[in-house]
Amino acid sequence: MKANRLRGLVRQKLVGHIEKLRVGKRSGRRRKFRKFGMENHDSKPQNAAIKKLFDSPVKLLAVSNSKEEFPRGGVRIPEIAFAGRSNVGKSSLLRSLCLRNIHVPVGNRPGTTRSLDFYEIGHKLRVVDLPGYGFAYAQDELRKQWSDLIEAYLQERRSLKRVMVVVDARHGLKDSDFEFLEKLELYRRRFQIVLTKADMLETEPLALMLDHTREQLQEHRQVHPEIMLCSSHNKGGIKEIRAVLGSVVKFPEVKAEVVNSSSVKLDKEKNTLKAKIKARRDRRRNRHTL
């Protein structure tokens, strides 16, 4: 009985989280909201820096069909890779996140991405679009080529900070997803789940899917605890994923601002302490005078 009540409270909390992200649908209709990005979320230095990052120019750095074609850069510029089964909305998600002005092939037929595509944002962050696994429409030779290419990237890439595993919220994790997660565990790559097409499920079924996905990932050591929800249709959850991407970037201006604010706070504390000491001395003098 207590377990059921606890489960109900958890799902109620998840429903509130979904409402806050503006994803999920009601009464059989997709929810329609004003398209929003980062414009109202730059009150803190980190958020302002992230907004500035995603307003920066984006360029296609490399289209790699072999590991020899991977761009160089060591660990100076961090990379975040996006992976997922074919046709889960990965390309649409990337276009909504950061590739608005760059043509990203999007199609109903699985297997649109057939290479490792490296994009660089403002010379501070690289986003890597991996070929969709599953490869339902590919020949056996191509499947092996793509699989070997992905494994070479996961195994050897020093600048890779996180893998965002994109999953269709309507269907959840499949066998091919778990096979890919095993590779990430093998190579000790930190990963995070992103549930896309969240606007195509009603709020309560979406909360159930989120809860179920959390349970499925309990045994994985490399998984990030927060599961992201998003919709490329109404842009719900996009700003939260941008914040995740921006968290791996070192912003000198944010560090400087934090240091400055800390020094200002320290100065205030020193002045307050000096004022208290002076007040005590004045009181003592007044006592002796009396």
Side-chain angles (χ1 to χ4, degrees), residues 170-207:
R170 299 171 298 174
H171 307 301
L173 291 164
K174 299 292 185 182
D175 290 341
S176 55
D177 292 309
F178 287 112
E179 289 175 10
F180 183 71
L181 297 186
E182 286 178 8
K183 291 180 182 179
L184 296 177
E185 292 284 349
L186 176 64
Y187 299 128
R188 296 183 179 181
R189 292 297 188 182
R190 190 77 168 159
F191 67 90
Q192 189 165 3
I193 302 296
V194 181
L195 295 179
T196 58
K197 305 183 182 181
D199 60 299
M200 301 181 76
L201 277 178
E202 293 187 9
T203 304
E204 289 191 8
L206 185 57

Side-chain angles (χ1 to χ4, degrees), residues 26-40:
R26 287 181 174 177
S27 304
R29 295 183 180 180
R30 288 189 179 189
R31 303 183 69 177
K32 294 184 179 179
F33 294 103
R34 174 180 63 84
K35 291 184 179 182
F36 62 97
M38 297 289 292
E39 61 272 14
N40 296 324

Side-chain angles (χ1 to χ4, degrees), residues 21 56 87 136 145 213:
L21 289 178
S56 303
N87 212 29
Q145 180 184 339
T213 305

Side-chain angles (χ1 to χ4, degrees), residues 15 24 34-35 38 49 55 80 98 100 106 111 115 132 143 151 159 162 175 231 238-239 248 253 266 272 278:
V15 168
R34 174 180 63 84
K35 291 184 179 182
M38 297 289 292
D55 286 340
I80 294 183
C98 52
R100 296 179 298 276
V106 178
S115 56
R143 290 186 189 184
E151 287 205 35
S159 53
R162 191 176 301 179
D175 290 341
S231 165
I238 294 298
K239 68 180 180 63
V248 305
E253 61 270 24
L266 188 60
T272 304
K278 187 176 182 299

Side-chain angles (χ1 to χ4, degrees), residues 91-110:
S91 297
S92 297
L93 171 61
L94 284 172
R95 192 170 55 185
S96 297
L97 282 171
C98 52
L99 307 180
R100 296 179 298 276
N101 299 322
I102 291 182
H103 175 66
V104 180
V106 178
N108 293 324
R109 188 182 177 88

Side-chain angles (χ1 to χ4, degrees), residues 23-24 36 58 64 82 91 96 114 119 156 187-189 193 198 207 219 238 244 251 265 272 277 289:
V23 294
F36 62 97
V58 181
S64 305
F82 281 75
S91 297
S96 297
R114 302 187 177 189
Y119 300 92
E156 301 175 13
Y187 299 128
R188 296 183 179 181
R189 292 297 188 182
I193 302 296
E219 300 300 321
I238 294 298
V244 169
F251 296 106
K265 186 178 180 181
T272 304
I277 293 171
T289 303

Side-chain angles (χ1 to χ4, degrees), residues 254-266:
V254 173
K255 192 173 181 180
E257 193 163 341
V258 170
V259 170
N260 291 337
S261 62
S262 299
S263 62
V264 169
K265 186 178 180 181
L266 188 60

